[in-house]
Amino acid sequence: MTGIAIITATLLALMYLAYRGVNLLVLAPAMALLAVAATGDGPLLGSYTQIFMQAMGGFVIQYFPLFLLGAVFGKLMEASGNAQVLADGIITRLGAERAILATILSCAVMTYGGVSLFVVAFAVYPIARVLFRTARLPKVLIPASIALGAFTFTMTALPGTPAIQNAIPMPYFGTTTFAAPGVGLISAAVMLGLGWLWLDRRAHALGPGYGNHIEAEEEAGPLADPPDLLLAATPLVLVIVLNLAFTFVIIPRLDTGYLSQPAYGATTVEALRGIWSIIAALTLASGLLVLFNYPRLAGQLADTIDRGASGSLKPIFNTASLVGFGAVIASLSAFGAIRDWVVTVGGDNPLISLAVGTSILAGMTGSASGGMSIALATLGETYREMGAAAGIAPDLLHRVTAVATGGLDALPHNGAVITLLAICGLSHRDAYKDIAVVAVVIPVLALVLLIALGSVFGSF
């Protein structure tokens, strides 16, 4: 029990200090090593260099191209005037009062199209910034609007979503990404509807005005020759289309047998095609964006790329530090006790145990996919057997697992939350309250409804 209390205390301290703005590059390893020292469950230096830094470095190695290319793409969209034109076009067609909904749906379309949520945040923020400023909506609601569109229903609930959170359960339950489509759609509608309602009410409560954040942002004058709306939208469409094309058509046809060699990591193309696809899509889309808008970018192209590249560093290293923290916590024996306890929750209803266990592990590690992977790797077979004994369809187990990852994972120490706030130039104190409502509280309510519907009606 002492070890569990120590893990809980260090996790709460991490969330509180992150909320207070303490630098995560220092905070995350300090809290991880404090947990190791207090539990006496491992060597400090070994835990730091062999667990924390290995996990942190592994994340950077795997995802740095996404952060780098996503940040550069976002800056190019902004500097070329494409973001401004898209925002103006959305306001003209939907009205300024629909700026929040437009931001949510823009993120939803991109994530449902297979674009990484980190890339979506970089790409949509320049458009959202113009939308909110023009509509005189508070900037502090931008992170929550992006989080609602990218971190919630399109990540876990919509049937067929290509998000990793919807793919991990498949081998454990023998399902597909379209598992339990009916209850998934209902859960998604709850998240979208209640989240949009909350943000709309908050906008009215805060009153009109973007806030004084505008003074700290670079503001260019109006473009002499702005691109037309179709041209402005083309790069975003290309990211989605090219990502799908590389994922399902181009990369599967490549000769990738060399990947089995140790020099290339002794891996498979299935493990890499998601990353390869978005790298290729962002590179080509950025190149075409520059080609189509070269007269507008010519004098500032190098500076724009430099600002995008520099802007990617803080988000990825903050996020990677939190991945390292989660890895150290997961290595402690007390964490194993927590993992083993969750299977006993819920009595005779394995859906409750599955949901609680997955949610707790996702919250403790600060990672939806990380918490799910731990839960299923250690207890997946147990849950499948419990479900079969209770007459619960594997499809329903799949959907409950996926939706359960999308609640407590978005606590203040979550890497995606940290990245989003860094991209938007806001602090936890500025914007986390609304993120918590739309990405934590409402998804948990949707999960409760999902379990209730599944318990009564089964999978549909």
Side-chain angles (χ1 to χ4, degrees):
M1 291 299 293
T2 301
I4 295 175
I6 290 171
I7 289 177
T8 303
T10 53
L11 180 60
L12 292 174
L14 175 68
M15 289 189 288
Y16 173 75
L17 294 172
Y19 186 89
R20 299 288 297 181
V22 177
N23 189 301
L24 284 166
L25 296 178
V26 176
L27 178 61
M31 290 296 101
L33 295 181
L34 177 61
V36 173
T39 58
D41 200 12
L44 284 178
L45 291 176
S47 296
Y48 179 62
T49 62
Q50 303 309 115
I51 299 178
F52 183 94
M53 288 304 302
Q54 293 295 321
M56 178 179 177
F59 182 88
V60 173
I61 289 170
Q62 184 172 10
Y63 291 108
F64 180 66
L66 271 63
F67 280 74
L68 173 64
L69 293 170
V72 170
F73 179 79
K75 285 296 181 183
L76 289 172
M77 286 289 292
E78 186 176 12
S80 64
N82 286 13
Q84 176 76 57
V85 170
L86 280 173
D88 291 344
I90 290 170
I91 288 176
T92 300
R93 286 158 178 78
L94 296 181
E97 68 278 6
R98 296 288 186 267
I100 291 176
L101 179 61
T103 301
I104 296 168
L105 295 181
S106 296
C107 295
V109 168
M110 293 192 71
T111 50
Y112 198 63
V115 180
S116 163
L117 58 88
F118 295 111
V119 174
V120 170
F122 279 114
V124 173
Y125 172 65
I127 301 169
R129 198 183 85 177
V130 179
L131 278 172
F132 276 61
R133 186 173 65 244
T134 304
R136 301 189 65 217
L137 290 170
K139 179 183 177 179
V140 295
L141 297 181
I142 292 179
S145 300
I146 293 176
L148 176 56
F151 300 178
T152 61
F153 60 97
T154 54
M155 185 178 81
T156 64
L158 283 182
T161 177
I164 188 66
Q165 291 79 5
N166 194 38
I168 291 174
M170 293 192 298
Y172 296 96
F173 300 127
T175 51
T176 72
T177 57
F178 291 91
V183 289
L185 286 171
I186 292 172
S187 301
V190 170
M191 294 183 210
L192 173 58
L194 292 182
W196 179 28
L197 179 63
W198 170 266
L199 293 174
D200 189 60
R201 294 287 180 87
R202 282 283 289 157
H204 284 89
L206 292 172
Y210 186 74
N212 58 9
H213 313 280
I214 195 170
E215 297 174 0
E217 294 172 339
E218 295 183 16
E219 293 299 327
L223 290 170
D225 180 29
D228 61 43
L229 184 59
L230 179 61
L231 182 63
T234 297
L236 289 178
V237 175
L238 280 174
V239 171
I240 298 173
V241 172
L242 289 171
N243 185 39
L244 292 173
F246 276 97
T247 299
F248 297 109
V249 180
I250 300 174
I251 290 178
R253 296 182 179 181
L254 297 178
D255 180 9
T256 55
Y258 64 87
L259 290 174
S260 62
Q261 300 174 20
Y264 296 97
T267 186
T268 64
V269 69
E270 286 75 20
L272 295 173
R273 68 175 181 171
I275 297 292
W276 282 5
S277 296
I278 195 63
I279 289 174
L282 282 171
T283 300
L284 290 174
S286 296
L288 290 171
L289 194 161
V290 172
L291 181 64
F292 294 156
N293 297 275
Y294 188 76
R296 304 177 188 91
L297 291 168
Q300 55 180 329
L301 181 57
D303 181 62
T304 299
I305 294 174
D306 181 67
R307 286 190 292 120
S310 300
S312 70
L313 298 179
K314 182 178 179 180
I316 191 170
F317 278 99
N318 280 344
T319 305
S321 291
L322 292 169
V323 172
F325 171 84
V328 172
I329 294 300
S331 73
L332 302 178
S333 57
F335 185 85
I338 296 171
R339 179 197 61 210
D340 296 338
W341 166 79
V342 298
V343 75
T344 66
V345 178
D348 296 330
N349 191 338
L351 294 178
I352 297 176
S353 173
L354 180 59
V356 171
T358 304
S359 295
I360 289 175
L361 294 175
M364 295 188 71
T365 58
S367 167
S369 58
M372 177 192 290
S373 297
I374 293 170
L376 292 180
T378 55
L379 300 170
E381 182 64 26
T382 300
Y383 282 127
R384 188 171 66 178
E385 293 174 356
M386 291 171 62
I392 297 173
D395 280 12
L396 186 56
L397 294 173
H398 174 130
R399 189 54 56 203
V400 168
T401 305
V403 173
T405 65
L408 298 186
D409 72 305
L411 291 172
H413 64 300
N414 171 260
V417 170
I418 299 294
T419 296
L420 177 58
L421 290 172
I423 291 169
C424 296
L426 296 170
S427 67
H428 280 79
R429 188 174 295 182
D430 293 327
Y432 183 73
K433 173 184 176 181
D434 298 296
I435 294 176
V437 173
V438 302
V440 179
V441 176
I442 292 175
V444 169
L445 293 176
L447 175 62
V448 172
L449 176 61
L450 170 58
I451 294 172
L453 289 173
S455 299
V456 175
F457 301 105
S459 178
F460 61 91

